[in-house]
Structures are given as C-alpha cells and as structure tokens.
C-alpha cells in the first residue's frame, strides 16, 4: 500500500484505491454483522442463556436475517417531521464513522492512508456524528427523540474532551500524530504501561462516546423509548445502528493502535506471527471487553455521567498530560517515552 | 496561479457572510454569517501560507488563533443571544428594538 | 532568528505589567469564587485596583527605555506602548473605582465577574498597545472585544443591556472579520505577520504590481478599526451599545476601548504601512490620507449633529464620543510628526473628562432612575459640587479654554493648521461650535431647570473620588499642559516606527 | 513697574470674593448680597489705583507681565518645526486702561443692582465675579490666546447668568447668546490662528511691530493677500457679532430683554465694548492697510447700524427694546469712529465705548428699578411716573439726554468727536450718521416722555420713589457721565498717545 | 505532490460512505411497502396524541456544556501541536516549554473551577 500511495495518481491507482476501500467496507459490514451476533452471544453467555440459535447453525445468520427484515420494512416519516433533515440525519451519522477507518493502520503494510495528522483527523471526524444524532432527534419532532438527542449531544461532547486530552500523553510520547509513527514508537513498550492513566480515561471516554452501556442514556429504552431514533424505522434506523457498530470497530482499532502497540507482538520472540494476527487479537479483545461491560454494568444516572466526565475524567486527563511530560524527565522511565 | 481561486472563494464567502450579517433577520443566521466571514479569512490565510509571497507556516498559526478566537467570540455571541431569547422569546433581529434607532 | 534565543534569553520583566494584570484578574476570579453568594464584592474590585496600580508603576518604571522586543519580535516595549498602557490603566482604574461604589447586586448579579472582565479587557488593550505582530495584535484586540461584549451584557435582566450586547457582538465580530481579512492580505503579500518586516514587504509588493491588494488590505483594516473606534460611517453601534450597557461598562468602552483601538490603528497603519508612507508620500496623501480625512470629517459632522437631537444622556455621550473620535482622527489625516503627542495628549485629557462625566451621569441616572437628560434638572440645587464638576467636564468636552479638552483639541487643531489641512481645521471649529448646543443642554438642565424634588444627592465615595480625579486632571491639563507636553516630547514616541535594536 | 504682578492680582481679585462666598450659607440673602457687593469693590479699588498710577502721555504698555505658558509644537509640511507659544502676558495701554476702569466700576454697580435678584444669590454672585475675571482679563490680556481664553470665560459665565436669572424666556436668550457667540469665538479662533500664521507671534507688542512690516511683506508675497484679507474679515465678523453689527444683532436684543438687570448692565455696558475693543485692537492695529481700504465699508456698516437701530428703536413699545436698539445705533457710532481713520474718530469711538458703557448701565439700572416697581416695561402701559417717583424719572431723563448727546454729558463728547472725525474723511457717511442722531433724539424723548410724563395712570399713583440704595449708584453713574462730559481729559489723557501711535501706523 | 494520494483515498472513503446509504435505500425502496395513514405518521409519545410541536425551548444547561466543550476543545487545538513538538522544543529550551503550557492550562483550569463552583457542572 505504501508504494501505491507514493506513486503518482493515475486512473489505475484510483481504481485500486477504490477497490481497497470497497473491500474494507465489506470487511466492516461483515464485522458489524457478526459483532452484533457476537454481542448477543456474549450477553447470552453472561446471563447463562444461549443467545440466538435458530437462524443458521449457532445462529450464524441471525443478523443477516435481521438486516433483510429491515430492508423490507416500511419506512415511515412522521408527518410533522422536518423531512429533508430527517432523511439526511442517518447519513451524517454514518459517513464519519466509515471515513475515519481510512486512517487506521492494520499492519505496517496494510493501511489505506498515511497522513501526518491522522489522529487529529480521526478525532475531528468523530465529533461530526453528534450533529447527525442531533439532526435526527430534532427533525423527528418527537419529545423523546429530541430529549435523547440533546442528552446524546451533551454526553458526547462532554466525553470527547477527556478522550482527546487523554491521547495527548500518547502524542507526547510518540512525538507524532501519525498513527504508523505511534505504533512504531511502541516497539519496545506498549503505551498501555506508561500511559495507563491515559488508557483508562480513554477507554471510559470511548465507551461513553459509543453511547454504550453504562453510558447508553441517549437511547435508554426504559426512559426514552429509544432516544433519538424513536421515529426511525427500516433501513434508516439501520444506518444509525450501523454507524454505532462501525464506531465500535473504529474505536477498538484506535485503542489497539494507540495503547496496545498495534501489530506489534507482546514479546519479540512471538514476532514470527504476522502483525495482522496480533492486531486482530488485541482488537477483538477490546470488542469483547465492550460487550462484557455491557452485560455487567448497570446504566448510570445522567448527573453521575456528567459529573464523572467533567469532574473526574477531565482533571485526570489534564493531570495525565503534565504527568507524562514530567515523567519524560525521570531517568529510567523516560526511555519508554 | 492557484492562489487566485482560493482568494476568490474566500472573497465570495466573505461577501456572503457580510451580506447575511447585514440583511438576515434571524440572529442565529447572523452569527453563522459572522463565522462565515471569519472562515473566509482562514481560507485566505491558509492559501497564502501555501502559495503566498514568501509562503510560510505563519499563516497556519494565524488561522489557528483565528479559529480559537472566533470560537470564543461566537460562544459569547450565542450566550448573549440565549439571554436575549429568554427574555424576548424571539431570535428575530428586527424585534430588537428596545434601543431606538 | 535561532530557536535558542526563543524564550529564556529575553528580559521577561518587560512583561511585568501584563503579568500583574493577569495575576490580578486570576486572583480576583478565584477570590470571587471563594466568596459566598451574598458577600460584598468590593474586595474583588480593590484587588483589581491594586493590580492596576502595581502594573501602572511597572509601566512608569519602564518609561523612557530603548525599545525592546521579546517573543520572536512579536511583543514590544517602547514609549508609545507605555504611554498607551498608562492611559488604558488610568481609565481602568477610574472605572473600577467608580463601579465598586455604584454597582448593586440588584442591577448586576455578577459583580465579581464584572470587575475582572474589566481587567482582562484592559489586558487586551495593553497587548494591542505593545504588539509588533499581527497575531498578537489580533489576540489582544479580541481579548478586549470579547471581554467588552460580556461587560455590555452584564445587566442580564435588562433587555436593553442584552440587546446592546448582541448588537455589539455582531458588529464587533464583523469588524474583527474585516480587520482579519485585511491582515490576511497583508500577510499574503509579505509572508510575515511581523509589522516591521511587513514595512519593506508591502512597499515591495506595492511596487511590483500588487498595489491594489496593498491598498485593499489597508482599507479593509481601516474599515474594521473604524468600527472599533466608532468613527462615522461605522458608528451605528455606538449609541445603542452605550445606552444599553451598564454605565461603568459604557465608560470603559468610551475610554479604554477607544484608546486601545487608536493604539491598534497606529500600530497597524503607521508601523506596518510606513514603507508606503516614506517611499511615496503621494500615494499616502492621495489615497489613504483621503480615507482618513473622510473618516475624520464624517465623524465630527455626524457625531456632533446627531447628538443634537438626543434626549438620552448616554446616547448623547455616544455621539459625543463619535465626534471625539473624529477629532482624534484628524492627526492621522494630516500625518504630521506630532501625531503621537497630539493623540496621546488628547486621549489623556479624554480619559479624565469622560470618566468624570460618566461618573456623574451614572450617579445622576441612578438617583433619578432615568437616563433622560432631564434627570440632570436642577442638579445644581441638589448637589452644587457635583454640578460644578460636571460643568468642568462638559466644558472640557465642548472645548472651552482652561480645560484639558480645549488644550487637546487645540493641539490637534494647530497641527492641522501647520499641516495645512485647513478644511479639517475648519470642520473642527464648526463642529465644535455645533457641539456647544448639546453639551450646554446638560448645563441648562443642571443650572436652569428646577429639580423635581429637593432631595440632596450625595456622591458615593468611589464616584466622588473619580470625579475629583477627573476634575483635577482636566483642569491641570487645561492650565498647565506644558509639563505633559514636555514629557511627551522627551519620550521617543516616534521610535514606534522603527524595529528595536535587540533583534 | 516691571516684575510686579499687579494686573494679575487685579484680574483675579474677584476670586477672593468667590472664596469667601463659598463659605456663606446659601440661604443667607443679606450677607450674600453684602459680600457680593463688597467683593466687587476689591477690583474696583485695584483698578482705580492702577489708573492713578498709570503714566499718562506715555506710549506703550504699562504694568507688563510676561510668562511663558504653553508651547504647542507641530511639524510643518516642509518638516520644519513650528512652535506656537502662548505667553501669559498682561499689560495695559491707553486704550485698555479706561475700559478696565469702566469694567470695574460697572461691575460694582451691577453688583449693587443685584439687589433685584430674587433667588440663588450665592451662585449668582459667584458667577458674576467669575464674569468679572473674564471681563478684566479680556482688557488686560496682551496675548491673543489669553484674550481668547478670557473671552470664553465671559461667554460661559454670561450664558449661565442669563439662562438662570433672566426673565421668562431666559433660556432662549441664553441659547441664542451661546449660538452667536460660539460661532463668533470659533471665527475668532480661526482668525487668531491665521494672525499667528501671518505674523508668527501671538503677543500684541510683537504683533504691532510686525504689523508695520506687513504691507511690505505682502508686496513680496502677493499670494498672502487673500489670507490676510480673510483674516481681517474674520476679525471683523468675530467682533462684529459681539458688537453687534447689523445682520448679527438679534441675539443681543434677546439678551437685553431677557437677561437679569445687572447682567444687562454688564452686557450692554462692557461686553459690547469687547467687540469694539477687539475691532480696534486686532482690526485697526494689526491690519492698518485693510482698514484703510475697507474704511468706507466699515463706515457704511456703521451708518446702517445707526439708522437701523434708531428707526427700530423708534417703533418699539418695550422700553428695554428701545434701549437695546439704541445700543445698536450707538455701536454704529463706534464703527463710524473707526472708519474715520484719524485720531479724532478713534477718540470718538473709544469715548463712545466708555460713555455708552456708563449710559447704558445707568439706563438698565433704571429699567431694573422700574421693573421692580411696575412689573412691566411696555411704554403704553406706563406713563406719568414722574408724579409719584420724581427722582427715578429725573435720572431716566438725564440718562436719556446723555444718550441723545446733550452737551455737557459724555454722549455729546463721544458723538461729536466721532462725527468730527468722519466728516474729515467721509463726509457723506457723516451726514447720514447725524441723521441717526436726530432720530435718537426722537426715540429717546418719546420713550422718556411716554413713561414719565403725561397723565398718571391709576395703577402707578403710589409708586415708591428710589431708595438710597438705588439712588446712590445711579447718581454715581450719572456723575461719571457728566464727569466725562465736562472733563474729557480724564479719559483723553491716557488715550491720546496710544491712539496717535495707532493712527500713525495707519499712515493717516 | 506525494501526499495527494492519501487525500484521494480519504475522498474515496467519503464517497463510499455516502454512496452506501443511498444505494441501500434505493434497493429498499424497491422492496419495501409504503402504506402510510395518519396514525402511523404521528410522532410516538407512548400512546398519547401529541398536542404540540416538540420544538420547544430546552434547558440552557445544554448550552453551558456546549460552551465548556468549546473552551476545552479549543484548548486541544494548542495542546496537540505543543505535544507533537514537545521533544524538539524541550531539547532547545528545556522545561520552560512545560511551564508555558502549564500557565495556559492553569488558566483553563481556573475556568473549569469557575464552572464547577458556579454549579454549571451539576446536572439537575
């Protein structure tokens, strides 16, 4: 991919790029399909039940069936809704989720772009999704939807701050915003060790960003019916869900890249196993962790949610920055930075 | 010269923004238009930073500052607008007539 | 410039005034937070005043030094900056003094904020006075502007105040956009944001076929600055904002903001474009000078004539300040070497008389519970000393001899004559005569009209102090200006045009 | 007497009174009035002793003081530094000395006349004294700028006095006063600046020296001509408004009708003379050439003033207006005197200034006394006052006689001299002017007879005659009028040399 | 111009992301039924007929958080370049660079404390 990118642009190259992107899209769609299944399975196991079993062996085609069902479902738009906004909202929510995947390097050879500000790009685009959610909630002209959208916006912007600040420690250590550089900087030591505080903050914040339990207030079924997408049905609704799961993909990948050393093996002697495997392992670990958390923790109250974000995570994140900068001065520890 | 097209874009944006500030009745749109003007400046700065006479990174730095400050400015603007809205229940600029012209 | 010389090699003490203000503002905000909701916030104001005084002492200490530039030549200390900082600090001090004694919780819920926003705004003004770089200039400008927007809107429960604040935000931000747009061209033509490096660059650009853009950038900036100094035809915000803002904030706008905006004008136009100024007088006089002439003349005419039909004192003072801006613009149109002295002197006199006048206006409006000019009716009966003080301020604003306003105005007038701008000088005289009408309307109300009742209105201590300072300053500048003249002429104000040695 | 600051002391001596007044309770009418009057005695005594010490027959300035005050600097268009020094320079010469004394006298009497003031005595006297500072300063200043500053003090003080203590339409009067005089002082400032521009100095002495060379300079620099001419006209306008001459006179009528009596006394008696003084000082002294050129024009203005004032005085029903118009008429005589361009004419003009100062002060004192008693000044409503108030009416009659120029009174001397002068140079104007004198007799007699004689109207049967407090000042004024009438040397001695030197410089 | 390719890829991703929903909906339109009636088009309010628009004024609290977000988001605009260049700058001027950012962040923390004390961070 690296050579391809350094060649001058030609129709052939463009086609190859497009094909790569399509391939990745398909991979992601596949991931989403089975992530949902996996989630339901995990939930089932935790709750000592089986999860989906009927469609296909081991419930393999459950999600596929769900998707097909959604595809043929009637698509209603409330009469009072702001129709253009109502229609465009899922797109706004979905587009950034896929666009950010472009900057994630899977191995030292398998990546789609290698831009200098990759991390910034990632973080910047993520925050666009909230506009899609707000648009969706607003345009539905439904109290639950609006409330859910507002809550979601409040939550997402509140946790975005700790999220982006927690990453500064990594940037300090790596001295670059380029993801490949960041991974390379973890050759000797994954950042999860020196940046453990940052990692924890990042993990919590990313769960909140993903609107997942225990931070799933925006779509809290028991309170707000379904939050901002109450009025959505059919495939429009599907795209909100899709966006959410693509974000799981993206966020897990990012966690892997930033803190778990990307494609690097945990120990040098395991270097014979290809990088992609390591990457996938770490990635899946994170995904599993997310589902596990969902099954384990209760939903917290909204005031707790906001307090946690602003009063705990934000000061900690800022402290982490200066701690990291100071640790660079400590003789022995500084080698990890 | 590629810079001229950027400049033209910036000029158009700036003029649209100015037009909006002067004619729009919705206060929120007015604030948007101000943002538009400031962003026109950013385009200018970044374009000059790349293609200007003696192009250098200063333009980027400048635009960073512009973005920051513009954010603060509009934040204050909206805060004031909200205070106004709570008393007046309207964001129509023409309703702001307590102060005689 | 090597990076090693970036930070620690500079004499950081030159930033002492700014840092003092910054620390004071921070301290004030923390103290304000620590105080209970019901506590008296005067203490906060006193911290602020102490900070301003200390900063002022630092500034005085740095007077008359060689120009010195720090932070990669973006920040600069010279006598010009010091003089303007002193003016700004003096204005801020007086405004603080007044507001600590008149601000009531019922009127402004957030008094602590009010006090330290004054300080941050002053900090912005000081940055503007001291900048040698477009970026710092801009940041200073916005620090001042944004703080002022909030100051204007602090009377949250008063519709007028919030409306005024919103108008101010919109027009202020628009003018910032104009300034920035102009700055972006200046940067694009020279590749630098440093004012001194721009000098040559702009001349070169002018000569190599970019004349249009050079002038465009200047005109855009002038339009923006025209807004900030509230000169006609960009003045429409001033009356509304002056009326709507709480009077201490109005005072601040009229005095400090304006002084700072003039510093900005001098920094950008005279320093940045001085290449044009020196190399081709023709261009300057024909194109830019004309612009200034129009601005100055229009401001004087519009300000003075529109003030005639105002019945609200604050609106009247707004138009008056537009007119005053016109007077101060006259030296720019002439562009004599006496520009710095005249502008500095006028602004100094302006600080005293305007703060004093607004202090009285504030008191009177508060007691009468109206801003109508009739609130002054019979002030002489109510409190003769206040009326006498107001008479001094009004006479000074009108330009009657033995007051600072007169000397300042005459100084400008004389320079206009010496620069052979007879037209402007003529307009100055004519509009000054016109201004008598509305200035004397206050006198008429105070002395001729009977008061509604015979309540005695005692000035609160802080206001009284500010008024006394105002009177003393105004009269001293009117009777013995020579000392100030000598001091100003001994300062190296024109060094503002030259880069510092230490770069 | 060099190095002594007598003039400064004299000029600012009224402030002593202000200082004392500040400590008096504002409700204490008697004490305030007494103190106010006493305060005016200080400058009076000062002025009289100054007059006694004045070396008559000596050319030039006496009691001179000079201190550098403010220096405005600018850089000219050629890069040359231009300095604009304002000196605090005081002094008196033959022209200003009599006026100074007259000012002090009239002010004292005006202070006496302040017994008719009904309210706010404290501030009234403070402002009156400040006004006196201005008036004295105007005549004592020897620097254009200083003159201007004192002039403005007069403006502000008069504005307040008229607007606060005047009659019903006092505010309008004050406003009109402000408008006209504001414009006047604006023009004056412009004129002064250009005088400075032409001569390069603001000090009278240097100005006079350089004025002599001006004609030669102008011949070398013809382009300066316009500037000089413009300046001269500006001077003419600035002081013409103050004087006032014909098209600019409406404000003065208003002030005369509406202002409180003491202020009118000062206004008519002294302030109008500031205009005349300015005309002679800056018009005649500095631009002798132009005065010569424009003498006819000035004379015409004078004649217009005389006739216009006289005719309109004739048709007025209000006594105040009659006197106001007569003032306009008399100011015309001053213009004629100036237009004569000879010593006699100028003598006439200055005599007229002083004499009219006393006469109109007296007349307005009378008016004040009359208004106090009758509440009206309309001639048709009055009549037959002589029966009940013989002394009062006798004084009025005397003042009227003085106005129309009865020999033996100051009016005669001044008018005689002025017309003598003008007949020498411009006989036609002289003839027309004398016509005005005949009219003066008509309107004055009409006014006097209409009010004092004839059938007494019932209402005025029991009119009180003058109290001593009124009679004494009136008689003092009358005394001065007669003194000048029978012994003009008292005025002429200091004046003559100065005027001679002025005329000599005019080349006449 | 070697970095153009990277942005071309990004553009492709964008286009693809936009194309996917459009394609999906177009397919869906062919497959799905469409039988709207009034009750179906009402907003869902747990069975109660909505009696007003839901576009109302909402709590200003949301705006407070938005403001705070802007402040700290903008802070990162300066933090990121600083963090990237930290090593380079530190080798030149030492810990001063840390102090500098410390002052900057300190002022922002004052802002946070301000919001905290003013109970802006409490969600009622």
């Amino acid at each position: 991919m690296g050579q391809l990118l350094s060649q001058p642009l030609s129709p052939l190259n463009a086609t190859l790029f497009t094909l790569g992107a399509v391939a990745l899209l398909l991979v992601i769609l596949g991931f989403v399909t089975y992530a949902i299944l996996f989630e339901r399975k995990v939930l089932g196991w935790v709750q000592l039940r089986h999860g989906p079993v009927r469609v296909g062996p081991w419930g393999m085609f459950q999600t596929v069936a769900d998707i097909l069902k959604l595809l043929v479902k009637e698509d209603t738009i409330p009469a009072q809704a702001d129709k253009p906004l109502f229609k465009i909202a899922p797109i706004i929510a979905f587009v950034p989720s896929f666009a950010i995947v472009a900057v994630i390097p899977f191995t030292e050879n398998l990546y789609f772009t290698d831009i200098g500000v990759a991390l910034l790009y990632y973080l910047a685009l993520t925050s666009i999704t909230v506009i899609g959610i707000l648009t969706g909630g607003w345009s539905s002209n439904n109290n639950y939807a609006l409330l859910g959208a507002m809550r979601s916006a409040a939550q997402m912007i509140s946790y975005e701050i700790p999220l982006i600040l927690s990453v500064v420690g990594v940037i300090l250590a790596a001295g670059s915003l380029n993801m490949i550089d960041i991974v390379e900087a973890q050759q000797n030591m994954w950042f999860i060790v020196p940046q453990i505080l940052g990692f924890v903050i990042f993990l919590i914040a990313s769960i909140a960003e993903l609107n997942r339990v225990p931070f799933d207030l925006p779509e809290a079924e028991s309170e707000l019916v379904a939050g901002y997408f109450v009025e959505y049905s059919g495939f429009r609704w599907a795209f909100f869900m899709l966006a959410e799961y693509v974000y799981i993909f993206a966020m897990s990948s990012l966690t892997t890249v930033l803190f778990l050393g990307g494609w690097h093996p945990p120990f040098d002697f395991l270097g014979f196993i290809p990088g992609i495997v390591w990457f996938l392992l770490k990635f899946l670990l994170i995904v599993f962790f997310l589902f596990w958390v969902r099954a384990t923790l209760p939903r917290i109250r909204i005031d707790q949610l906001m307090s946690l974000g602003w009063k705990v995570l934000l000061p900690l994140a800022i402290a982490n920055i200066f701690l990291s900068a100071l640790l660079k001065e400590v003789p022995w520890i500084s080698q990890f930075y | 010269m590629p810079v001229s097209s950027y400049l033209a874009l910036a000029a158009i944006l700036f003029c649209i923004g100015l037009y909006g500030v002067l004619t729009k009745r919705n206060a929120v749109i007015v604030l948007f238009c101000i943002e538009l003007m400031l962003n026109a400046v950013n385009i200018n700065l970044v374009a000059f930073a790349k293609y200007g006479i003696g192009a250098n990174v200063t333009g980027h730095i400048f635009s960073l500052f512009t973005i920051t400050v513009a954010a603060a400015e509009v934040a204050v603007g909206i805060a004031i607008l909200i205070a106004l809205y709570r008393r007046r229940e309207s964001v129509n600029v023409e309703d702001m007539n307590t102060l005689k012209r | 410039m090597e990076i090693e010389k970036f930070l620690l090699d500079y004499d950081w003490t030159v930033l002492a005034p700014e840092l003092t203000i910054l620390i004071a503002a921070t301290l004030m905000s923390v103290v304000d937070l620590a105080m209970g909701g019901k506590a008296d916030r005067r203490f906060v104001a006193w911290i602020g005043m102490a900070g301003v005084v200390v900063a002022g002492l630092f500034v005085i200490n740095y007077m008359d030094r060689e120009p010195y530039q720090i932070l990669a030549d973006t920040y600069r200390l010279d006598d010009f900056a010091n003089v303007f900082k002193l003016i700004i600090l003096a204005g801020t001090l007086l405004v603080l003094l007044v507001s600590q004694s008149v601000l009531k919780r019922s009127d402004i819920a957030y008094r602590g904020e009010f006090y330290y926003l004054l300080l941050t705004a002053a900090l912005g003004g000081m940055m503007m006075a001291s900048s040698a770089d477009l970026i710092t200039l801009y940041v200073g400008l916005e620090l001042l502007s944004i703080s002022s927007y909030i100051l204007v809107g602090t009377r949250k429960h008063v519709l007028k105040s919030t409306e005024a604040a919103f108008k101010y935000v919109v027009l202020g931000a628009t003018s910032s956009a104009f300034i920035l747009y102009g700055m972006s061209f200046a940067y694009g033509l020279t590749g630098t944001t440093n004012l001194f490096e721009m000098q040559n660059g702009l001349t070169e650009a002018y000569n190599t076929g970019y004349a249009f853009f050079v002038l465009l950038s200047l005109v855009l900036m002038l339009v923006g600055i025209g807004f900030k100094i509230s000169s006609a035809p960009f003045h429409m915000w001033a009356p509304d904002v002056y009326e709507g803002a709480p009077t201490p904030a109005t005072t601040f706008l009229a005095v400090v903001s304006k002084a700072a905006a003039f510093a900005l004008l001098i920094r950008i136009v005279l320093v940045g474009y001085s290449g044009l100024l020196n190399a081709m007088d023709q261009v300057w006089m024909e194109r830019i000078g004309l612009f200034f002439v129009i601005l100055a003349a229009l401001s004087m005419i519009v300000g003075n004539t529109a003030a005639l039909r105002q019945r609200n004192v604050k609106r009247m003072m707004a138009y008056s300040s537009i007119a005053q801006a016109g007077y101060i613009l006259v030296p720019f149109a002439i562009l004599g070497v006496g520009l710095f002295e005249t502008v500095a002197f006028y602004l100094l006199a302006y600080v005293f008389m305007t703060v004093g006048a607004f202090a009285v206006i504030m008191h009177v409006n508060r007691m009468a519970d109206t801003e109508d000019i009739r609130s002054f009716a019979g002030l002489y009966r109510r409190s003769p000393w206040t009326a006498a003080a107001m008479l001094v301020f009004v006479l000074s604003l009108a330009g009657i001899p033995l007051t600072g306003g007169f000397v300042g105005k005459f100084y400008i007038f004389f320079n206009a004559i010496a620069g052979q701008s007879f037209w402007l000088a003529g307009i100055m005289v004519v509009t000054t005569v016109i201004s008598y009408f509305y200035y004397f309307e206050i006198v008429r109300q105070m002395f001729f009209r009977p008061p509604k009742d015979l309540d005695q209105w005692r000035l609160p201590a802080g206001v009284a102090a500010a008024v006394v300072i105002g009177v003393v300053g105004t009269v001293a500048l009117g009777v013995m200006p020579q000392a100030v003249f000598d001091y100003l002429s001994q300062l190296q104000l024109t060094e503002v045009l030259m880069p510092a040695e230490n770069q | 007497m060099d190095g002594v600051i007598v003039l400064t002391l004299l000029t600012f001596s009224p402030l002593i009174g202000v200082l004392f007044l500040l400590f008096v309770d504002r409700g204490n009418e008697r004490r305030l009035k007494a103190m106010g009057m006493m305060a005016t005695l200080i400058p009076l005594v000062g002025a009289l002793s100054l007059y006694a010490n004045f070396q008559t027959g000596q050319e030039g300035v006496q009691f001179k003081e000079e201190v550098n005050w403010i220096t405005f600097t600018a850089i000219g268009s050629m890069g040359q530094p231009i300095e604009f020094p304002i000196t605090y320079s005081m002094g008196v010469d033959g022209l200003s000395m009599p006026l100074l004394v007259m000012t002090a006298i009239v002010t004292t009497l005006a202070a006496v006349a302040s017994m008719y003031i009904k309210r706010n005595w404290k501030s009234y006297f403070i402002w009156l004294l400040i006004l006196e500072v201005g008036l004295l300063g105007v005549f004592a200043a020897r620097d254009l700028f200083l003159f201007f500053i004192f002039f403005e003090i007069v403006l502000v003080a008069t504005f307040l006095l008229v607007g606060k203590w005047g009659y019903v339409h006092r505010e309008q009067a004050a406003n009109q006063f402000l408008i006209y005089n504001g414009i006047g002082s604006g023009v004056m400032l412009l004129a002064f600046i250009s005088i400075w521009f032409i001569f390069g100095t603001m000090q009278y002495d240097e100005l006079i020296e350089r004025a002599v060379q001006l004609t030669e300079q102008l011949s070398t620099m013809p382009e300066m001509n316009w500037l000089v001419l413009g300046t001269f006209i500006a001077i003419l306008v600035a002081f013409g408004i103050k004087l006032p001459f014909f098209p600019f006179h409406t404000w003065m009528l208003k002030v005369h009708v509406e202002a409180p009596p003491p202020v009118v006394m000062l206004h008519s008696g002294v302030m109008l003379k500031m205009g005349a003084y300015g005309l002679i000082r800056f018009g005649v002294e500095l631009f002798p050439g132009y005065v010569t050129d424009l003498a006819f024009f000035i004379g015409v203005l004078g004649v217009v003033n005389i006739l216009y004032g006289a005719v309109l005085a004739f048709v007025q029903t209000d006594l105040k207006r009659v006197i106001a118009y007569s003032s306009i008429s008399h100011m015309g005589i001053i213009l004629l005197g100036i237009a004569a361009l000879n010593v006699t004419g100028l003598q006439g003009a200055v005599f007229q200034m002083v004499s009219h100062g006393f006469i109109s002060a007296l007349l307005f004192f009378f008016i004040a006394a009359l208004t106090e008693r009758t509440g009206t000044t309309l001639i048709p409503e009055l009549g037959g006052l002589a029966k009940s108030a013989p002394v009062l009416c006798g004084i009025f009659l005397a003042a009227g006689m003085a106005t129309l120029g009865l020999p033996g009174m100051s009016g005669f001397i001044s008018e005689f001299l002025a017309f003598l002068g003008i007949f020498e140079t411009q006989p036609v104007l002289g003839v027309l002017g004398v016509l005005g004198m005949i009219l003066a007799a008509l309107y004055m007699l009409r006014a006097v007879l209409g009010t004092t004689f004839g059938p007494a109207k019932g209402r005025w049967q029991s009119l009180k005659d003058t109290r001593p407090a009124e009679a004494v000042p009136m008689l003092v004024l009358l005394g001065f009028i007669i003194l000048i009438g029978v012994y003009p040397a008292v005025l002429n001695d200091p004046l003559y040399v100065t005027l001679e030197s002025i005329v000599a410089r005019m080349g006449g | 111009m070697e970095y153009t390719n990277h942005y071309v890829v990004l553009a492709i991703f964008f286009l693809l992301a936009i194309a996917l929903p459009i394609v999906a909906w177009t397919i869906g339109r062919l497959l799905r039924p469409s039988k709207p009636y009034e009750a179906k088009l009402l907003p869902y309010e747990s069975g109660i007929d909505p009696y007003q628009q839901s576009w109302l004024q909402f709590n200003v609290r949301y705006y407070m958080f938005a403001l705070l977000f802007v402040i700290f988001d903008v802070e990162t605009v300066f933090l990121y370049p600083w963090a990237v260049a930290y090593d380079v700058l530190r080798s030149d001027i030492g810990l001063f660079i840390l102090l500098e950012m410390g002052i900057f962040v300190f002022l922002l923390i004052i802002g946070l404390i301000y919001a905290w004390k003013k109970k802006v961070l409490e969600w009622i």
Side-chain angles (χ1 to χ4, degrees), chain D residues 167-187:
Chain D
Y167 295 107
V168 185
H169 300 296
R170 52 180 179 265
E171 281 197 25
Q172 286 174 14
N175 284 353
Q176 271 203 11
F177 174 81
L178 186 72
I179 295 165
Y180 277 94
N181 287 284
I183 294 169
S185 45
V187 176

Side-chain angles (χ1 to χ4, degrees), chain A:
Chain A
M1 203 68 191
Q3 292 121 20
L4 210 55
L5 282 166
S6 55
Q7 285 164 8
L9 188 62
S10 65
L12 176 68
N13 281 355
T15 321
L16 286 176
F17 293 151
T18 315
L19 286 177
V22 171
L24 184 62
L25 178 62
L26 292 176
V27 168
I28 288 175
L29 289 179
F31 162 79
V32 169
T33 312
Y34 285 96
I36 294 174
L37 179 69
F38 183 46
E39 181 171 15
R40 294 171 78 169
K41 281 285 182 196
V42 170
L43 287 178
W45 296 333
V46 172
Q47 293 161 1
L48 296 178
R49 52 188 176 82
H50 292 291
V53 284
R54 305 221 167 213
V55 189
W58 204 62
M60 285 289 268
F61 300 117
Q62 177 64 48
T63 321
V64 179
D66 284 348
I67 290 170
L68 285 175
K69 179 200 75 174
L70 285 171
L71 200 59
V72 297
K73 266 193 107 167
E74 181 176 358
D75 177 33
T76 55
I77 300 176
Q80 305 235 318
D82 186 333
K83 291 203 176 58
L85 284 184
F86 189 85
K87 285 178 181 164
I88 205 168
I91 303 186
I92 299 177
F94 171 73
V95 168
S97 69
F98 180 63
I100 51 175
V101 179
V103 294
I104 297 201
F106 298 100
T107 70
E108 60 246 271
N109 296 318
L110 181 59
Y111 55 88
F112 293 86
T113 59
D114 180 23
I115 55 175
V117 290
L119 186 54
L120 197 62
Y121 171 87
Y122 183 100
L123 294 168
L125 278 202
T126 4
S127 44
I128 293 179
T129 298
V130 72
I131 296 175
I133 289 173
L134 262 181
T135 319
W138 167 266
S139 62
S140 312
N141 198 357
N142 176 310
N143 286 330
Y144 295 119
L146 184 61
L147 208 53
M150 293 308 297
R151 273 192 187 187
S152 164
Q155 175 183 331
M156 288 178 89
I157 61 175
S158 297
Y159 279 84
E160 187 165 325
I161 301 294
L163 184 80
I164 49 188
L165 287 181
S166 62
V167 172
V168 175
V170 173
I171 302 170
L172 266 177
S176 171
L177 287 171
N178 184 312
M179 300 243 192
I180 296 172
D181 289 353
I182 290 174
V183 176
E184 292 298 343
Q186 301 175 65
Q187 186 83 51
N188 300 327
M189 175 70 86
W190 298 357
F191 281 151
I192 186 170
V193 179
Q195 281 294 322
I196 181 70
L197 184 57
F199 174 72
V200 172
I201 298 165
F202 183 87
L203 201 62
I204 297 173
S206 63
I207 294 172
E209 280 290 281
L210 293 170
N211 282 341
R212 292 193 62 83
V213 178
F215 305 112
D216 66 337
L217 291 122
E219 46 196 270
E221 289 90 344
S222 45
E223 301 164 34
L224 294 174
V225 194
Y228 54 87
F229 45 57
V230 169
E231 293 296 342
Y232 281 88
S233 60
F235 232 65
R236 287 188 208 284
W237 177 82
F239 268 97
F240 276 118
M241 289 311 285
L242 183 60
E244 214 177 301
Y245 279 89
V246 176
Y247 265 122
I248 291 182
F249 178 89
M251 206 54 101
S252 307
S253 316
L254 187 68
T255 318
T256 312
V257 167
L258 293 184
F259 291 99
L260 299 182
W263 56 83
H264 288 306
F267 305 104
D268 281 343
F269 63 84
L270 291 174
F272 62 91
I273 302 173
I276 187 72
V277 175
W278 288 117
F279 186 93
L280 282 176
L281 274 176
K282 297 169 187 172
F283 166 79
L284 287 174
L285 185 69
I286 301 284
V287 171
F288 171 73
F289 178 76
L290 291 177
F291 296 157
W292 180 24
V293 165
R294 172 172 178 186
T296 314
L297 293 180
R299 179 184 307 137
I300 67 172
R301 279 203 321 271
I302 186 145
D303 58 326
Q304 294 168 329
L305 173 97
M306 296 312 251
S307 299
L308 177 68
W310 288 103
K311 295 181 181 172
V312 179
L313 292 188
L314 175 60
L316 279 180
I318 292 174
N320 179 50
I321 295 170
F322 287 93
L323 193 66
S324 310
L326 281 176
L327 283 179
K328 275 181 155 262
E329 308 302 320
V330 181
W332 185 74
I333 300 176
S334 62
Q335 62 173 308
F336 302 122
Y337 284 91

